[in-house]
Amino acid sequence: MNCKRAAFYTLGCKVNSYDTQVMAEKLAAAGYEAVPFGEPCDLCVINTCTVTQVSDKKSRNAVSRARRANPDAVIVVCGCFCQASPEDAAAIEGADIVLGTKNRADIVCYISEFLKTGRKIVDVTSGGGISGERITGFSDKTRAIIKIEDGCRSFCSYCLIPFARGEIESKPVLRVAAEAAAVAQSGYREAVLTGIHLSSYGKDLKNASLIDAIRAAADAEGIEWLRLGSLEPTVITPEFVSAAAGIKKLCPQFHLSLQSGCDKTLRDMNRKYTAARYESAVELLREHFEACAITTDVIVGFPGETDEDFARSLEFIKKIGFAKIHIFPFSPRRGTKAATMPNPVPEQTKRDREHELEKAARQSRDDFMRAFVGKTVSVLAERCEGGLCRGFTEHYLPARFCGGAQDCGKIIKLSVTGAEDDFLVCEKINL
């Protein structure tokens, strides 16, 4: 092969980051050197997202940027946008190879074919995508992401992802264990188990559950912290939480997708729970995990959401007391049920509701962080420059403390002396 420098650009979620790492390791084994996106390269891989229309636009723009920066490079475009809208992806000017979400592990073969023929390749296939996927590390990151599940069959009325990711596929427990062991051997102290619909893990396997996968990863020697990706509140049962609390490496931080605190809006979204069910899940977690951090996603301005509906949702959100909230104004996705629902919310109303929720989210986060002042926390130090180290606590709160390069990549016990600028201010504990 003539291409020896490869740049990567990833849009979207942790699963996409994992998928990019799979391709990066395949290419490294074939002799490619990874370089930052935008630098001179012979190959550029753009892993797309299609959660919103903005994501689609960013995907197209990334291709244009890559082509302008490297006119002679081979440009590979892959991922959710390609899978969900193959004709639109194939029409992107500047793309040499267009793949979906299921065949990226074969990227080296596709590049070889293109270099031999010079003809554009468009191959967006369906079928198994999790087979052949395995990583040993994670470029430029202190924590390793391990994808253990792919696919979703929930069909929330606003979401296109089931069409982009297809049927549920779970990574066998033994393979989860092997991958966790591999990243631990590469020096990673923390691993994040993730999936497109993580709560569906094991539905396609015999005698395997999400708890089994968590235990398998936790058993890897060298892994000190284990964290989970986004969960549905319906998976949080007394049995699940009791078992999870017995896994000591599991961090006391859970991302439970909410989307709305109003039952009418939840029904319109085709979510499978009520606000009361969500609240019971939070209570269960807080009973078993000390100072448990709950983070979430919320959509504002969903079609048909009235002022009363939003007020009910906002009241519920304030009641829960989240550690962090990701807020998304509703964006219609072509091909979803919500895109044609009546009574769309005006854009200005969406912005007003977003700003009001942002204020509540900021207050909730400040309250949660200030509760740690005077307490002891553990921090995985990620960046250390100029005598200042930064990282995240076991509750996934950003923290900073005085330290040096010798601290980077280690989990360190610290005393929290303050909370400012969205950081816990900490000091090392003299032992």
Side-chain angles (χ1 to χ4, degrees):
M1 289 188 182
N2 296 320
C3 297
K4 290 298 175 185
R5 291 167 298 175
F8 302 88
Y9 189 83
T10 305
L11 295 105
C13 63
K14 288 184 175 67
V15 171
N16 263 13
S17 295
Y18 175 93
D19 293 339
T20 295
Q21 184 64 27
V22 170
M23 292 186 285
E25 292 194 14
K26 296 277 186 181
L27 289 165
Y32 289 81
E33 175 190 0
V35 298
F37 182 78
E39 290 192 4
C41 65
D42 306 290
L43 168 70
C44 188
V45 180
I46 297 163
N47 195 359
T48 65
C49 175
T50 194
V51 167
T52 65
Q53 290 180 347
V54 173
S55 301
D56 290 355
K57 184 178 180 180
K58 286 181 178 179
S59 298
R60 292 189 182 94
N61 290 344
V63 178
S64 298
R65 287 169 53 197
R67 181 56 74 200
R68 287 196 302 269
N70 293 281
D72 298 322
V74 176
I75 306 293
V76 179
V77 187
C78 59
C80 290
F81 170 62
C82 302
Q83 191 75 36
S85 307
E87 292 181 1
D88 292 343
I92 295 177
E93 186 175 351
D96 297 311
I97 301 171
V98 178
L99 309 175
T101 60
K102 303 299 183 183
N103 52 354
R104 287 172 293 189
D106 298 323
I107 187 171
V108 174
C109 297
Y110 286 105
I111 294 168
S112 297
E113 181 182 346
F114 177 80
L115 291 174
K116 288 176 184 177
T117 66
R119 291 194 295 269
K120 184 172 184 174
I121 297 172
V122 178
D123 190 5
V124 179
T125 63
S126 59
I130 212 164
S131 61
E133 294 182 343
R134 184 176 183 272
I135 63 167
T136 58
F138 230 87
S139 301
D140 302 323
K141 294 186 184 295
T142 310
R143 63 179 54 80
I145 299 168
I146 302 175
K147 184 174 82 172
I148 67 171
E149 186 274 343
D150 207 336
C152 178
R153 308 310 291 164
S154 290
F155 291 103
C156 297
S157 62
Y158 53 82
C159 187
L160 204 60
I161 295 304
F163 303 98
R165 287 287 180 166
E167 295 292 339
I168 293 165
E169 297 179 83
S170 303
K171 190 169 289 184
V173 171
L174 289 178
R175 288 187 56 199
V176 174
E179 203 160 357
V183 299
Q185 193 170 22
S186 295
Y188 292 86
R189 303 279 70 84
E190 178 181 342
V192 183
L193 302 185
T194 190
I196 290 297
H197 196 257
L198 189 59
S199 298
S200 290
Y201 178 88
K203 288 185 177 180
D204 58 323
L205 300 176
K206 291 183 178 179
N207 303 317
S209 68
L210 180 55
I211 285 293
D212 295 325
I214 298 169
R215 287 194 181 113
D219 285 343
E221 185 177 353
I223 294 293
E224 297 181 47
W225 283 1
L226 201 61
R227 207 178 292 277
L228 302 180
S230 181
L231 294 172
E232 296 293 313
T234 51
V235 81
I236 308 300
T237 63
E239 296 77 17
F240 176 89
V241 177
S242 178
I247 303 171
K248 299 307 179 185
K249 293 180 182 179
L250 188 59
C251 289
Q253 180 257 323
F254 297 89
H255 189 88
L256 291 186
S257 182
L258 175 61
Q259 307 306 356
S260 175
C262 170
D263 286 347
K264 179 174 79 68
T265 305
L266 288 172
R267 287 193 299 272
D268 290 343
M269 290 177 169
N270 196 33
R271 301 294 286 172
K272 309 301 191 296
Y273 52 86
T274 63
R277 177 65 180 87
Y278 189 99
E279 185 175 7
S280 69
V282 172
E283 290 173 351
L284 271 171
L285 289 169
R286 287 176 172 165
E287 285 173 12
H288 288 78
F289 291 88
E290 184 178 358
C292 185
I294 306 295
T295 59
T296 198
D297 306 307
V298 176
I299 296 173
V300 296
F302 191 79
E305 183 186 63
T306 65
D307 289 341
E308 292 76 15
D309 295 335
F310 174 72
R312 189 172 292 110
S313 182
L314 182 61
E315 181 182 1
F316 180 80
I317 289 164
K318 290 178 178 179
K319 178 182 180 182
I320 294 297
F322 290 102
K324 189 169 186 177
I325 304 172
H326 300 278
I327 305 167
F328 302 92
F330 173 75
S331 173
R333 301 297 292 120
R334 185 182 63 188
T336 65
K337 183 178 180 181
T340 58
M341 282 183 173
N343 303 315
V345 176
E347 290 301 319
Q348 185 59 53
T349 303
K350 288 183 193 177
R351 288 192 289 270
D352 291 343
R353 291 176 184 174
E354 181 182 10
H355 293 155
E356 191 169 356
L357 182 53
E358 282 174 346
K359 288 190 292 184
R362 179 72 266 172
Q363 185 63 56
S364 181
R365 183 165 176 80
D366 288 347
D367 291 345
F368 187 79
M369 293 184 71
R370 281 196 294 266
F372 285 87
V373 176
K375 296 182 178 180
T376 299
V377 297
S378 295
V379 173
L380 174 58
E382 298 189 13
R383 288 191 298 136
C384 298
E385 297 175 302
L388 187 66
C389 289
R390 298 185 178 190
F392 286 85
T393 71
E394 61 267 64
H395 297 87
Y396 206 62
L397 295 177
R400 62 189 183 206
F401 63 96
C402 292
Q406 73 277 4
D407 297 315
C408 208
K410 296 179 181 177
I411 295 175
I412 301 170
K413 286 278 189 183
L414 302 170
S415 174
V416 182
T417 59
E420 58 185 41
D421 301 326
D422 202 38
F423 277 92
L424 294 181
V425 181
C426 304
E427 293 179 353
K428 285 185 176 180
I429 298 173
N430 295 321
L431 301 176

